[in-house]
Amino acid sequence: MKVLITGSSKGIGLEIANYFFKKGAKVLLNSRNKKQLISINKKIKNSSIYPFDVENQKITEKNLAYIFKKEKKIDTIICNVGSGSIVNNNQIGSDYFNKVFKKNFMSTFNIVEFLRKNKKFRNIQIICISSICGVERIDGAPVYYSVAKSALNVYVKMVSNLIVESNCRINLVIPGNILFKNSTWEKKLKKSKLKTLNYINKHVSTKQFGKPENISSLCWFLSKKSNSYINGSSFIIDGGQVKSF
C-alpha cells in the first residue's frame, strides 16, 4: 500500500505516518517544511518526501500530477492539514477568515477536486481529518475554525456521491481532544493543569484525552479495500463529548 499524508511533518499527521509505516505501507510525506521532512525520511525508511503547500490550488495540482507520475499508484490519501492553534476569536475580518478557511478547508478541497477532474486516478481511499468543532458548538471553540470544519464535513458528505465515478471513496475522521507532544492540549496542561483537566472531566464522558493511535488505527481500517462499502461516513472519536446524533 502507498499512502500520501498531508501535513505529516508533525502532530497527528506524523503519528499516522509512523503507524502506516509499521503496518508495512510506503509512506509519502508532505509538508511545507522540507527540512523536517528530510529528517523524518531518515527515520521512516520506506518513505518519500514531497514538500509543497496544499493550501495553494495550482501548486497542489502540479505536485499531485508529479507524484502520481513518479509513484504510478497511490492507494490512500489522508488529508490531514488543519489547525485551530492559528485561530483567535479576537481577530476578525475577511482576511483572517480566509487564512483559517484555506488551512482547514481548501487544503482538502484542492486535493479532492484534482482527483475529480482527473478521473484516470482511480480506486483511491480518501480520508479527511476534521474536528468535532464542525459538528456542534463546542464551548471555547474558535468561530472561524468551527465554520471551516463544518464546511469540510458537509463537503465530504456531498462529494462522496460524485467521487465514486472514479471508484474512489471518501470518509471523515472527526477527532475530539487528542493529546500528543507539542499539541494545543499539552500546552494547556502546562499552563493550567487543573483547569484543563476539569474541562475534560466536565465535557468528555470517558474523562480522558484521546491518543494519536486512536486516529491512526481508524485511518488504517478505512484504508483497507475490504471496507469499500464505507463511503461518505463520519467517524467521531471524542470520548463521548458530542451530544448530537
Side-chain angles (χ1 to χ4, degrees):
M1 176 194 291
K2 288 184 182 179
V3 54
L4 170 64
I5 307 167
T6 68
S8 48
S9 64
K10 60 182 179 180
I12 291 177
L14 178 56
E15 296 287 350
I16 294 172
N18 278 309
Y19 189 95
F20 271 71
F21 166 65
K22 290 175 183 177
K23 289 289 187 179
K26 179 178 182 182
V27 180
L28 312 180
L29 301 161
N30 161 261
S31 169
R32 291 180 297 187
N33 193 321
K34 185 176 180 179
K35 186 176 180 179
Q36 282 185 334
L37 290 181
I38 292 173
S39 177
I40 296 165
N41 181 234
K42 294 177 182 178
K43 299 174 183 178
I44 302 179
K45 300 300 181 182
N46 192 21
S47 66
S48 297
I49 64 170
Y50 295 99
F52 65 95
D53 184 4
V54 292
E55 295 175 39
N56 184 301
Q57 185 177 17
K58 289 184 178 180
I59 289 176
T60 298
E61 291 181 348
K62 179 180 178 181
N63 279 274
L64 284 177
Y66 171 75
I67 293 171
F68 275 101
K69 183 178 180 179
K70 183 178 179 182
E71 299 290 344
K72 307 301 181 185
K73 179 74 172 72
I74 298 175
D75 302 288
T76 301
I77 298 178
I78 300 177
C79 300
N80 168 71
V81 169
S83 175
S85 63
I86 65 169
V87 187
N88 185 333
N89 278 336
N90 293 322
Q91 289 185 268
I92 60 175
S94 59
D95 289 343
Y96 185 63
F97 173 77
N98 288 337
K99 176 184 177 182
V100 175
F101 198 77
K102 280 180 66 178
K103 180 168 291 295
N104 291 286
F105 178 83
M106 296 304 297
S107 58
T108 294
F109 176 88
N110 291 336
I111 292 174
V112 177
E113 292 301 307
F114 171 84
L115 295 175
R116 287 185 61 202
K117 287 190 292 185
N118 296 274
K119 291 184 172 56
K120 61 181 178 179
F121 304 124
R122 305 176 66 84
N123 299 307
I124 300 169
Q125 328 304 322
I126 308 163
I127 303 168
C128 306
I129 310 299
S130 184
S131 167
I132 57 171
C133 295
V135 177
E136 65 181 30
R137 186 176 66 82
I138 302 296
D139 289 347
V143 175
Y144 294 165
Y145 175 72
S146 301
V147 170
K149 289 303 188 183
S150 178
L152 176 62
N153 295 348
V154 174
Y155 170 72
V156 169
K157 185 63 177 179
M158 297 301 294
V159 83
S160 65
N161 191 48
L162 304 174
I163 203 76
V164 291
E165 294 176 4
S166 298
N167 289 328
C168 297
R169 59 188 175 89
I170 185 169
N171 292 290
L172 280 161
V173 172
I174 305 179
N177 310 305
I178 309 299
L179 180 62
F180 53 91
K181 187 178 179 180
N182 297 322
S183 66
T184 299
W185 286 109
E186 185 183 68
K187 294 173 184 177
K188 287 183 177 181
L189 282 169
K190 289 180 179 179
K191 184 178 180 180
S192 181
K193 185 175 181 179
L194 182 60
K195 181 180 178 181
T196 303
L197 291 178
N198 284 339
Y199 176 89
I200 296 299
N201 289 332
K202 179 181 178 181
H203 295 284
V204 182
S205 62
T206 57
K207 302 186 185 306
Q208 63 182 357
F209 286 102
K211 300 176 182 179
E213 56 259 40
N214 300 143
I215 309 302
S216 302
S217 60
L218 179 54
C219 288
W220 177 257
F221 172 82
L222 292 172
S223 70
K224 294 182 178 179
K225 296 192 185 305
S226 59
N227 295 317
S228 61
Y229 192 56
I230 304 173
N231 186 47
S233 296
S234 301
F235 296 85
I236 297 175
I237 307 179
D238 70 340
Q241 183 173 357
V242 169
K243 305 300 187 293
S244 57
F245 288 97

